[in-house]
Amino acid sequence: MDSSHHGNYKLSKAEKKFLRKQIKASHTLLRHEGIQTVSCATQSLVVANGGLGNGMCRNQLLPVLEKCGLVDALLMPPNKPYSFARYKTVEESKRAYVTLNGKEVVDDLGHKIILYLNFVEKAQWKELRPPALPPGLVVVEEIISSEDEKMLLESVDWTKDTDNQNSQKSLKHRRVKHFGYEFHYEGNNVDKDKPLSGGLPDICDSFLEKWLREGYIKHKPDQMTINQYEPGHGIPAHIDTHSAFEDEIVSLSLGSEIVMDFKHPDGITVPVMLPRRSLLVMTGESRYLWTHGITCRKFDTVQASGSQKSGIITSDVGDLTLSKRGLRTSFTFRKVRQTPCNCSYPLVCDSQRRETPPSFPESDKEASRLEQEHVHQVYEEIAGHFSSTRHTPWPHVVEFLKALPNGSVVADIGCGNGKYLGVNKELYTIGCDRSQNLVDICRERQFQALVCDALAVPVRSGVCDACISIAVIHHFATAERRVAAVQELVRLLRPGGKALIYVWAMEQEYNKQKSKYLRGNRTSQEKKEEMNGDTSVQRLLVEQMSDLGSRDSASSVPCIREGRGNSRQVSDSKLPIHVNRTSFYSQDVLVPWHLKGNPDKGKPVEPFGPIGPHDPSPVFHRYYHVFREGELEAACRTVSDVRVLQSYYDQGNWCVILQKA
Ligand SMILES: O=C(O)CCC(=O)C(=O)O
Ligand SMILES: [Fe+2]
Ligand SMILES: [Zn+2]
C-alpha cells in the first residue's frame, strides 16, 4: 500500500486523525532528524514512538515487528523516540506498515504507545559517538566476589545517627556517607585539617591492599564516600575538585549496575556501563577534564546481547535496549591532596587560576565594574560567534510580537544580533544593545539599532507601545540594578503599554522536564549551538509527538540537584564558574563561552589561566544572576505604575508580561 493513495473510499474521522499523525511523524523526522521517508514500499521502516527514548524496549518491540515477518535488523539509537526495522522482504515490511501503523503497544511501565511507521530507503544510523573510553578510564569487572559484595553492603549502617560527625546526609537524590574526611557539597571540598575520627572502615582495608598489590590502584586512599541511589536517583555531572583530591579516584559499584555519563568540555558524551562488583578507575584526563554523572532515571540504555558487560555502551544501535535500574551503592575512594594541583588541565583546575576570579559585588560600583568586564567586554569579543549561534527566535516571544497591533512602536532592550527586530514587519521596532559589534550586526541586517546601557535608554518616556527584554536582566549584578533595569523598561512604555521580560532560571528542571540547556547527547551540528548555551536547538521528536502517547523515560523523575555540579572550589565570595550543561548551584555565576572561529580578530585574553594545549578555543566568562521561581515577578512588583499580567516558565527561563498603569 502506498501511503499517499487511499482511493475513493471515504476515511473515517479516526482514520483521518491517524493519517494526519502519521504524516506529521514523517515531517518531524525530516525536519528535526534529517530522516527522509519515502512513499513507495521498501524493506525498511522507521517506527516513530518505537524508540528507546520513549521507553520502548527491544524485547517488546521486536516480537511485535516479527509478527509481520522476518526482521533482519532492528536499530534502536539511544535516547531517540524512533527505531529502524529492516525486513527480509518488501512484502513483510508492507505487512508491518499496514498492520502496525497506528497500533497501540504497551511499554514496560504499562504506558500505551501508538506506533507510526513510514518507509525509508535504508535502515541506517550514523553513530557519532567515538568508540573509545575517556583517556585514563578503566572499568575492572568482577573485582570482588558476590559474597564480598553482600558483606560490604551489610556493613553499611544507614540507621546510625552519625550527625555529630556530620558525615551522613540524605541528599535530594541519593544518600551519602563520608569516611576519613567529610566532603562539603556547599564548597565542593574537604576540610583537610579536620579528618573524621575512625578513618576508613576496617572492612575496606583488605580490598584496598589487594587492589594496590595487583596494580589496579597506585595510592592508598584516605577518604571514602558511600553513595546510595534508588532507581530514579542520580548525581549531577561534576569533576571532583582538583585541589581536594589526588589524581586517582576509584568507585566500587555494589548491588546493581548503572550507566555513568562522561562528558568532555567539547560536548562529547560517553555513557559507560558500571556492572555490579566492578571498579571504576579514573585517572588523568578522565579524572581531571571530563565530568562524570549519573542521570536521574529509572532505566538505562544498555547492550541487549550482554556480550560486553562493562565499559562504553556500544555504538551498535542494532544491539541496544533498556534495563531497569536497581538499588546501587557505590564506595568511592579518594586520596586527599595536600599540595595544590598542577595537572595539565588549567582551564578546569581550581588550583591553577592565574588571576583570582571576580568576587560577588558588594557595591553598585563593583557591580558596574563586574558587568563591564564580564558582560560588556565579553559580548564585544564574542559578538560574531555569539551571533552565529543565535538564529531561532523563541516561539513565545514571537507570539508576543505578532499579537501587537500593527503600527506599534516597540523597543528591544538588549537586542543582540536583532533576531526579534524583523519578526513582525508591521511594527516600528528599534533595538538597543550594550555591544557595538552586535549593534553593527543589526545594522548590517538593515535593522534600526543603537548602542546604549539598559539602565539609561536614550528614548523619551512613554513613547513605546511595547518593550521586550530577552535574556538581558540576568546580566545585572545586584538586585537594585535588576529592578532599575525593569524600571527603565517601564519608563519607556505609554500607559497601557506592555513589556515582555525573559531571564535565565536557576531551575533548569521544571515540571519534571529538563530544559534544553541540560539535555545532553547531541549531534555535532547541535553541539555548535548548545556548547554555549543556545536554547534554540532542534526539539526532540519526542516533544513533537507528545500527543502521540509518548513519555520521556529519561526524565520521568524530577531531579532538582542538591547543590553540586561544578568542579570549582567556592570559597568566600568568589563567583563560581558554572560547568555548561549542568544544573546551577549558585545564583551568581560565571558562565564560560568557548570562542570558536575568527582567530585573526586580535588575540583575545584568557581571563583565568593560560590556554592549555588541550583546548584550542579561548574561554570567556559571562556573569549571570540566574533567577529563582518568583524572583522576577517579585522584582517587577517593586516597580511602580505597572502590574504583572502574566508570569511563566519557558525552557529554562522565567518570564513576565507587564502592563503599565
Ligand atoms: O556513585 C559513583 O560511582 C560516583 C560518585 C561520585 O562521583 C562522587 O561522589 O563524587
Ligand atoms: Fe565524583
Ligand atoms: Zn588540576
Side-chain angles (χ1 to χ4, degrees):
M1 187 174 101
D2 182 321
S3 64
S4 60
H5 293 105
H6 293 270
N8 291 328
Y9 144 84
K10 203 152 167 23
L11 296 174
S12 72
K13 224 172 153 183
E15 283 170 321
K16 277 190 194 154
K17 185 173 166 203
F18 151 71
L19 260 180
R20 262 203 321 273
K21 292 198 166 180
Q22 187 210 7
I23 292 167
K24 191 174 159 202
S26 159
H27 287 172
T28 315
L29 282 162
L30 179 61
R31 228 168 353 125
H32 294 288
E33 309 280 319
I35 297 166
Q36 281 270 10
T37 63
V38 294
S39 53
C40 62
T42 64
Q43 272 167 274
S44 301
L45 292 156
V46 56
V47 186
N49 286 345
L52 298 175
N54 60 298
M56 187 64 70
C57 281
R58 178 171 292 271
N59 59 12
Q60 288 168 308
L61 185 60
L62 195 56
V64 173
L65 295 170
E66 279 176 334
K67 283 207 184 102
C68 303
L70 204 62
V71 177
D72 228 12
L74 175 59
L75 309 185
M76 301 187 83
N79 304 313
K80 296 291 183 185
Y82 50 81
S83 53
F84 301 93
R86 186 174 60 241
Y87 281 93
K88 263 268 178 281
T89 65
V90 177
E91 287 315 304
E92 290 163 311
S93 71
K94 272 192 197 167
R95 199 175 308 137
Y97 181 92
V98 173
T99 48
L100 300 181
N101 239 326
K103 192 180 152 89
E104 196 176 272
V105 287
V106 178
D107 74 3
D108 226 25
L109 288 178
H111 293 98
K112 288 174 186 160
I113 289 178
I114 299 175
L115 302 179
Y116 294 93
L117 290 83
N118 282 289
F119 292 110
V120 283
E121 285 295 357
K122 257 192 189 146
Q124 59 180 8
W125 181 255
K126 37 180 195 336
E127 191 45 57
L128 297 155
R129 193 181 291 160
L133 286 170
L137 191 151
V138 178
V139 182
V140 188
E141 277 180 50
E142 302 284 340
I143 189 101
I144 59 164
S145 66
S146 304
E147 294 75 51
D148 289 341
E149 178 189 37
K150 190 160 174 278
M151 179 182 72
L152 282 171
L153 283 173
E154 281 169 0
S155 77
V156 189
D157 183 0
W158 290 105
T159 59
K160 200 156 59 191
D161 182 13
T162 41
D163 250 356
N164 55 335
Q165 289 190 341
N166 202 22
S167 65
Q168 177 173 329
K169 283 215 170 69
S170 236
L171 300 176
K172 263 216 183 83
H173 288 282
R174 59 187 205 280
R175 287 203 287 188
V176 296
K177 238 169 141 68
H178 300 291
F179 298 86
Y181 292 84
E182 149 139 59
F183 189 84
H184 299 278
Y185 290 97
E186 316 75 49
N188 285 332
N189 218 315
V190 287
D191 196 340
K192 289 167 195 172
D193 306 324
K194 279 207 203 113
L196 299 172
S197 59
L200 300 196
D202 295 338
I203 194 169
C204 297
D205 232 50
S206 59
F207 294 105
L208 293 172
E209 291 296 345
K210 183 163 175 275
W211 300 343
L212 271 167
R213 258 196 332 270
E214 292 173 0
Y216 294 121
I217 59 173
K218 297 196 173 48
H219 308 285
K220 181 120 189 228
D222 55 11
Q223 195 275 342
M224 177 173 81
T225 301
I226 302 181
N227 284 285
Q228 191 175 72
Y229 309 83
E230 313 240 352
H233 280 181
I235 182 167
H238 66 279
I239 303 171
D240 286 58
T241 308
H242 289 202
S243 66
F245 305 113
E246 293 284 352
D247 186 357
E248 193 173 68
I249 294 175
V250 301
S251 188
L252 179 67
S253 294
L254 304 171
S256 182
E257 65 183 23
I258 211 154
V259 171
M260 186 177 268
D261 292 319
F262 285 81
K263 288 187 194 158
H264 188 275
D266 278 351
I268 294 163
T269 301
V270 178
V272 176
M273 166 58 84
L274 306 178
R276 58 191 287 191
R277 298 194 301 281
S278 73
L279 187 70
L280 164 73
V281 184
M282 293 180 277
T283 58
E285 190 176 313
S286 68
R287 180 266 181 268
Y288 286 128
L289 186 63
W290 295 60
T291 65
H292 56 278
I294 295 167
T295 306
C296 295
R297 61 185 172 212
K298 291 186 173 163
F299 291 84
D300 280 316
T301 303
V302 302
Q303 269 170 248
S305 64
S307 55
Q308 180 210 356
K309 278 197 270 155
S310 73
I312 191 164
I313 305 294
T314 177
S315 50
D316 176 9
V317 293
D319 186 34
L320 290 181
T321 189
L322 297 178
S323 150
K324 207 171 184 155
R325 281 189 185 167
L327 181 70
R328 171 180 182 264
T329 307
S330 66
F331 284 27
T332 302
F333 298 97
R334 300 172 272 217
K335 185 166 164 54
V336 170
R337 189 189 282 284
Q338 301 298 344
T339 52
C341 177
N342 66 346
C343 68
S344 16
Y345 309 93
L347 280 178
V348 285
C349 184
D350 61 311
S351 290
Q352 295 182 61
R353 284 197 194 174
R354 197 167 49 188
E355 283 169 40
T356 44
S359 300
F360 186 80
E362 301 287 351
S363 65
D364 193 69
K365 206 167 143 214
E366 279 179 28
S368 165
R369 202 174 319 129
L370 176 67
E371 289 162 16
Q372 236 164 52
E373 198 177 325
H374 286 283
V375 181
H376 309 165
Q377 280 176 23
V378 173
Y379 276 103
E380 212 61 293
E381 291 281 359
I382 68 172
H385 180 216
F386 174 81
S387 174
S388 75
T389 66
R390 297 298 188 275
H391 305 294
T392 322
W394 295 346
H396 286 101
V397 181
V398 172
E399 208 175 283
F400 176 84
L401 291 170
K402 291 225 161 131
L404 294 170
N406 290 356
S408 294
V409 175
V410 181
D412 182 350
I413 309 301
C415 62
N417 66 354
K419 74 174 180 179
Y420 294 111
L421 297 180
V423 157
N424 181 351
K425 301 270 189 283
E426 306 302 328
L427 308 174
Y428 293 103
T429 314
I430 181 156
C432 65
D433 202 280
R434 198 62 188 64
S435 156
Q436 179 70 57
N437 288 339
L438 285 171
V439 166
D440 286 346
I441 291 171
C442 293
R443 289 180 181 162
E444 277 162 25
R445 295 176 169 177
Q446 312 302 321
F447 295 130
Q448 290 204 57
L450 55 96
V451 176
C452 75
D453 197 294
L455 295 181
V457 181
V459 171
R460 247 180 289 146
S461 303
V463 300
C464 293
D465 297 298
C467 292
I468 60 171
S469 167
I470 310 302
V472 174
I473 293 177
H474 50 219
H475 286 311
F476 287 99
T478 64
E480 294 73 27
R481 294 171 71 80
R482 292 186 282 274
V483 168
V486 177
Q487 184 91 64
E488 183 65 354
L489 209 64
V490 171
R491 183 186 66 77
L492 304 178
L493 291 177
R494 64 160 169 83
K498 289 180 188 170
L500 173 67
I501 303 175
Y502 267 58
V503 292
W504 213 2
M506 173 102 171
E507 301 85 353
Q508 287 299 311
E509 188 151 341
Y510 195 67
N511 279 344
K512 306 188 177 184
Q513 271 264 338
K514 279 195 174 105
S515 72
K516 284 176 202 163
Y517 178 71
L518 280 191
R519 291 201 296 256
N521 271 352
R522 46 236 198 269
T523 64
S524 52
Q525 309 97 270
E526 287 169 326
K527 239 172 61 185
K528 187 171 137 226
E529 294 210 334
E530 285 210 356
M531 183 83 180
N532 286 308
D534 188 274
T535 42
S536 67
V537 285
Q538 43 181 271
R539 278 206 229 168
L540 289 178
L541 185 62
V542 74
E543 286 179 336
Q544 295 290 316
M545 295 179 168
S546 54
D547 57 335
L548 308 188
S550 69
R551 72 194 164 80
D552 183 356
S553 66
S555 60
S556 58
V557 179
C559 177
I560 308 293
R561 274 70 184 264
E562 65 278 1
R564 177 132 187 219
N566 193 295
S567 59
R568 305 285 183 186
Q569 176 183 2
V570 194
S571 56
D572 50 72
S573 62
K574 294 276 173 273
L575 287 168
I577 295 184
H578 174 65
V579 175
N580 272 322
R581 304 280 142 205
T582 63
S583 307
F584 291 106
Y585 73 89
S586 164
Q587 277 195 272
D588 295 277
V589 289
L590 296 172
V591 176
W593 179 278
H594 297 255
L595 186 68
K596 294 272 155 73
N598 64 331
D600 45 0
K601 231 194 130 265
K603 266 256 172 293
V605 287
E606 164 50 35
F608 314 128
I611 304 153
H614 303 275
D615 192 340
S617 55
V619 181
F620 293 87
H621 294 94
R622 288 174 295 167
Y623 165 80
Y624 278 85
H625 171 84
V626 289
F627 282 64
R628 284 186 189 277
E629 181 163 17
E631 190 180 341
L632 176 62
E633 226 183 301
C636 292
R637 290 197 198 284
T638 66
V639 174
S640 49
D641 298 333
V642 77
R643 67 194 177 99
V644 179
L645 285 186
Q646 223 182 314
S647 171
Y648 59 97
Y649 180 86
D650 184 11
Q651 281 299 337
N653 300 285
W654 291 113
C655 324
V656 291
I657 298 179
L658 307 178
Q659 185 167 40
K660 188 156 178 176

